Amino acid sequence: MAYKITDECISCGACEAECKNEAISEGETIYTIDPEKCTECVGIAEASRCAEVCPIDGCCTPDPEHKETKEQLLEKWRKLHPGEEPASGTY
Ligand code: SF4
Ligand code: SF4
């Protein structure tokens, strides 16, 4: 399930550099996550890095409108990182 950023975002920018899928960018009012690139950190880390670094609890949260299985998320990661191997313990 891709993550999303809620309206509580204070645009601190901390999450952007943490996303190794480059799924996060600065929007007009808040930061946003591209669901085509968010793998819920499958392939990258054991837990969602954006949620871990965000100073606002619950601001980076799973988006129920983008439900995906772990297998689908890993496939998405592989398409984003051709020729690379996913980090162990992340899928
Ligand atoms: S959950 Fe991971 S992949 Fe998704 S936006 Fe956050 S840091 Fe990026
Ligand atoms: S870390 Fe949280 S508050 Fe900061 S830009 Fe990202 S989503 Fe917004």
Side-chain angles (χ1 to χ4, degrees), residues 46-73:
E46 290 182 13
S48 294
R49 290 296 301 147
C50 53
E52 285 189 338
V53 300
C54 181
I56 313 290
D57 276 351
C59 185
C60 296
T61 186
D63 184 354
E65 289 186 13
H66 290 100
K67 284 193 176 152
E68 295 155 294
T69 64
K70 287 270 183 196
E71 289 73 23
Q72 288 173 314
L73 291 167

Side-chain angles (χ1 to χ4, degrees), residues 26-43:
E26 187 173 9
E28 278 184 29
T29 52
I30 59 171
Y31 275 65
T32 60
I33 292 174
D34 180 350
E36 299 297 318
K37 292 184 176 176
C38 175
T39 61
E40 204 179 327
C41 279
V42 163

